[in-house]
Amino acid sequence: MALHIIEKREASREEWKRAASEYPFATIFHTPKWAELFMGAQPGRYIAQATFVVFSDEKNAIIPMTVRRRMFGLFSSVQSSPAGAYGGWISEHELSPEHGRLLSRELLGLKDLTWIENPFDPLTGSFALPSYTEDFTQAVNLRMNPDPRIRSSRAHQKALRKSSRSGIIIKKADTWNEYERYYELYQDSLKRWKDRGLPTGDAYPLRLFRLIFETCREQAELWYARKDNETLSGALCFYWNNHAVAWHGAAASGALALRPNNLLYEEMIQDAAKRGFSWFDLNPCGGFRGVAAFKEHLGAQKIPLRKVSKRSGVR
């Protein structure tokens, strides 16, 4: 008999967390913690939920989702993971492409859906989707080339020497004041992007960063580059299973000429390699060629993914 789903129910938080811990391809974006950050930052706007699915071969999986309330609650849409992050399923078991096909069918049955496939899951791309757009992330394979002299371009290595000679130092944030200074950099970056006519999307509230500082000490680290007691740039990294990801970054106007980000990101990559992570993910570039080129100079490889966006007539 063909593989099929025999049971569906709401998953408990503990089941959700356990599956995210056991599934080797899960990222921080697949955890209940990630959904709860956005629920806490904007109360009433997001609702975290997860579906527990049982298959006829006795394997099971969980489909995390976040419901986003729109137009003052007049209607809702489903994000497989909030903030444009990777979504999809997680499981305590090894899954086949047929499991993936059945799980994708459950997701695609939703009328309003935003789903960005997890590019680190080997099931990604192994089955057909009726409609999607192609994209990619860029990541450094830490199992292969952690050494920047082998991995990165000459331009990156030159920038490393320049930033080191200029007296830039890299630190990790320990206090909320450091997070507040980073948020100021973020606001400065938003203004600079708007002035250049670049899309910025919805700005993240300060409350989100406060929650990350207070509740994600084991999963998140804020890194920043400083020179003469001035913060030049920073990046917020999350860590889960084999995956380290630079999720958010910001820089001061006029600081980029000193190449602080080259040294900043190299330090983060080296740290992740020493800690035994398999991937340092730099996230999709949003279509910005300069951003993609910077990541390529770091030695990051392109990993394809598919993006599904279903909109109901109401939406």
Side-chain angles (χ1 to χ4, degrees), residues 60-165:
N60 59 63
I62 287 177
I63 306 174
M65 291 176 284
T66 303
V67 177
R68 180 175 176 179
R69 300 173 73 245
R70 298 177 180 272
M71 297 289 290
F72 306 102
L74 292 178
F75 74 99
S76 300
S77 61
V78 174
Q79 298 175 335
S80 188
S81 183
Y86 311 139
W89 48 83
I90 50 179
S91 177
E92 297 179 70
H93 303 105
E94 183 177 351
L95 301 179
S96 69
E98 183 61 15
H99 290 104
R101 187 187 67 80
L102 292 171
L103 291 166
S104 70
R105 191 171 67 181
E106 291 298 313
L107 277 165
L108 295 171
L110 301 168
K111 292 182 179 179
D112 262 304
L113 170 68
T114 301
W115 169 28
I116 299 175
E117 280 189 316
N118 178 5
F120 300 95
D121 191 323
L123 297 185
T124 295
S126 64
F127 51 85
L129 293 176
S131 179
Y132 62 90
T133 57
E134 295 181 349
D135 200 359
F136 61 88
T137 190
Q138 289 168 273
V140 176
N141 187 336
L142 300 175
R143 295 166 296 184
M144 294 180 61
N145 295 318
D147 189 337
R149 294 170 297 181
I150 301 172
R151 159 179 43 85
S152 64
S153 70
R154 291 184 179 180
H156 173 62
Q157 295 168 37
K158 181 179 179 181
L160 284 178
R161 292 190 293 269
K162 179 177 181 178
S163 56
S164 298
R165 288 196 300 265

Side-chain angles (χ1 to χ4, degrees), residues 205-239:
L206 180 61
R207 173 66 178 161
L208 175 63
F209 293 87
R210 182 78 195 191
L211 288 172
I212 292 170
F213 171 73
E214 291 177 347
T215 69
C216 297
R217 292 302 183 94
E218 294 182 1
Q219 299 91 19
E221 289 178 348
L222 174 61
W223 296 71
Y224 59 92
R226 301 199 73 185
K227 175 179 168 61
D228 300 329
N229 294 320
E230 180 183 358
T231 303
L232 304 180
S233 66
L236 185 57
C237 288
F238 284 88
Y239 305 86

Side-chain angles (χ1 to χ4, degrees), residues 156 159-160 163-164 166-174 178 221-235 237 239 258-271:
H156 173 62
L160 284 178
S163 56
S164 298
S166 67
I168 292 174
I169 60 172
I170 308 301
K171 297 189 67 178
K172 296 183 191 179
D174 294 316
E178 292 168 301
E221 289 178 348
L222 174 61
W223 296 71
Y224 59 92
R226 301 199 73 185
K227 175 179 168 61
D228 300 329
N229 294 320
E230 180 183 358
T231 303
L232 304 180
S233 66
C237 288
Y239 305 86
L258 295 175
R259 301 292 190 270
N261 279 340
N262 291 83
L263 187 60
L264 175 68
Y265 280 81
E266 189 57 49
E267 288 280 344
M268 293 189 294
I269 291 170
Q270 293 300 319
D271 174 77

